[in-house]
Amino acid sequence: MRELTALDLRPFDRARDFPALSDLISAVNVHDEFEWLPTTDELERDWAAPHATFDPERDAIVADADGRLAAAGWVSWAERDGKVVHDFEIWVHPDQRRHGLGTRILAWLEARARESVVDGSGGPADLPRVFGGGLITANPAAAAFAVQAGYPTIRYGFQMRRPLDEPIPEVALPGGLEVRQVLPEHHRAIWDSDVEAFQDHWEARVRTEHDFVRTFTDPDFDPTMWQVAWAGDEVAGSIMNNIYPEANARVGLDIGWLDHVSVRRPWRGRGLASALIVRSLRIHRDRGMAVAALGVDADNPTGALRLYEKFGFRPKYTWAIVRKPF
Ligand SMILES: CC(C)(COP(=O)(O)OP(=O)(O)OC[C@H]1O[C@@H](n2cnc3c(N)ncnc32)[C@H](O)[C@@H]1OP(=O)(O)O)[C@@H](O)C(=O)NCCC(=O)NCCS
């Protein structure tokens, strides 16, 4: 019989836990060979301000061991396609695995999600609900853990990458469209266009005002990189290009992100996404990036996966989306 952990769980403490959380996630991801080593600042930006769907001191739990974090987990919710998805994430330090810590944290997170329905902090009361999570399929611990916890995979996604030292083809913008510099007064129109285009994405998340503010106030937000195509005074499509210098420094690789690729329905099928992709690749290359990266749903109904493959993107990580009835 494996030895069960005696470590106590306690609520996340915003005043002091960010550095230790950054160390924990980094230790886990180095061990599991996943290139995301978040800095304290990055986590603080994501977690420090409580908002409707996530308050770290209410919705996150940690375990201490030897003056560091042995494990942590959080649960948040999002409205997707007419239901509320209570999503969680768990990190157990490589030294602390197979002692039941992940199982205890998951039980706490599920209980917290149930409680959020009762106390009104868990999203629209009249919608059906489901528990959800995501894992990298190359990580056997996560895959086995999800299966034994009753979370089968319902969908896959990829993080795709494309080296920037390979030639980048020329693709002209479709007639009548022009790419213009992003100005503050354009932010809302660009956002609304992207939200509208993503209605055709599998289980598009209903975005909140918090998401809007977070996107346009992020210290790494650089409007000079974004590619936004206009048809007169309407946005036809856009790519939100971003570079995260600190994150790149930590993994030792210069990655340029094509964070959202979207074309509104009336302008699809004319090569607009292709034109915006090649412009984005050039921008990242000119800024000294070694690879371009993006995330995509493996069964994207609008053919995004094939489009990215055509421009040289290849899967780097496969994500499994796991779900369990509420
Ligand atoms: C997945 C993770 C959270 C598991 O944490 P843990 O504390 O080791 O999990 P538990 O000890 O509670 O394991 C419960 C059961 O999951 C399964 N399991 C967990 N790790 C496993 C592994 N490496 N191989 C096979 N089965 C495993 C087993 O059935 C285990 O029960 P057992 O030890 O009695 O056989 C941890 O490995 C981790 O932090 N992974 C990286 C981050 C991540 O991917 N998180 C998302 C999880 S969905």
Side-chain angles (χ1 to χ4, degrees):
M1 243 311 261
R2 69 186 175 143
E3 191 190 325
L4 285 177
T5 182
L7 297 177
D8 289 331
L9 303 185
R10 65 163 173 89
F12 182 79
D13 180 351
R14 237 192 331 249
R16 66 180 165 109
D17 283 336
F18 283 114
L21 182 65
S22 158
D23 289 347
L24 169 68
I25 299 174
S26 299
V28 165
N29 287 347
V30 165
H31 178 269
D32 295 334
E33 297 181 3
F34 178 57
E35 283 172 346
W36 181 56
L37 308 176
T39 61
T40 301
D41 283 355
E42 208 179 333
L43 292 170
E44 281 188 8
R45 282 202 297 277
D46 281 346
W47 279 35
H51 50 95
T53 66
F54 181 60
D55 176 348
E57 289 182 328
R58 183 191 66 195
D59 301 324
I61 191 92
V62 299
D64 298 294
D66 310 324
R68 54 173 204 193
L69 290 185
W74 58 260
V75 61
S76 171
W77 63 267
E79 190 181 329
R80 293 177 183 275
D81 202 14
K83 64 185 170 305
V84 174
V85 181
H86 293 271
D87 262 314
F88 70 86
E89 201 165 3
I90 300 173
W91 301 278
V92 176
H93 193 283
D95 299 347
Q96 300 283 346
R97 293 189 182 171
R98 302 303 287 272
H99 297 302
L101 206 42
T103 301
R104 280 175 56 206
I105 289 186
L106 180 55
W108 188 92
L109 298 173
E110 289 179 352
R112 170 60 210 141
R114 290 210 173 85
E115 186 187 279
S116 75
V117 181
V118 178
D119 71 19
S121 63
D126 51 339
L127 294 182
R129 292 162 191 281
V130 65
F131 289 118
L135 56 92
I136 299 160
T137 55
N139 178 347
F145 177 78
V147 168
Q148 67 79 37
Y151 281 79
T153 298
I154 60 148
R155 191 99 172 176
Y156 291 96
F158 299 116
Q159 185 196 111
M160 303 184 86
R161 293 206 184 158
R162 197 264 195 207
L164 291 172
D165 56 1
E166 289 173 4
I168 300 169
E170 297 282 348
V171 180
L173 274 172
L177 299 182
E178 69 174 347
V179 170
R180 295 184 202 140
Q181 191 194 334
V182 173
L183 300 174
E185 56 266 36
H186 299 149
H187 291 177
R188 187 63 70 173
I190 297 167
W191 184 257
D192 289 347
S193 154
D194 185 61
V195 167
E196 183 191 305
F198 267 84
Q199 295 305 309
D200 292 319
H201 192 280
W202 176 73
E203 278 200 358
R205 186 167 63 87
V206 174
R207 293 189 220 169
T208 63
E209 194 55 22
H210 174 80
D211 298 317
F212 175 84
V213 173
R214 172 86 177 72
T215 298
F216 291 100
T217 57
D218 190 293
D220 291 327
F221 165 58
D222 178 355
T224 65
M225 298 198 65
W226 286 28
Q227 295 297 303
V228 181
W230 295 81
D233 57 3
E234 276 196 65
V235 175
S238 61
I239 300 187
M240 300 177 180
N241 291 304
N242 290 304
I243 290 173
Y244 305 100
E246 270 186 77
N248 285 350
R250 292 194 103 198
V251 298
L253 180 63
D254 288 319
I255 308 175
W257 287 88
L258 284 67
D259 272 338
H260 279 237
V261 177
S262 69
V263 172
R264 290 173 64 206
R265 279 187 177 185
W267 288 281
R268 287 185 193 157
R270 305 187 200 177
L272 176 55
S274 300
L276 294 177
I277 289 169
V278 298
R279 292 173 69 102
S280 300
L281 294 176
R282 287 208 167 79
I283 291 224
H284 285 299
R285 186 192 60 194
D286 294 348
R287 304 263 175 134
M289 296 300 103
V291 296
L294 50 77
V296 62
D297 169 31
D299 296 313
N300 183 294
T302 54
L305 182 62
R306 280 191 311 280
L307 173 69
Y308 302 141
E309 282 173 337
K310 190 171 128 193
F311 290 104
F313 284 89
R314 298 287 174 259
K316 164 79 178 167
Y317 300 108
T318 303
W319 286 96
I321 312 255
V322 299
R323 290 282 166 83
K324 176 177 143 174
F326 196 73

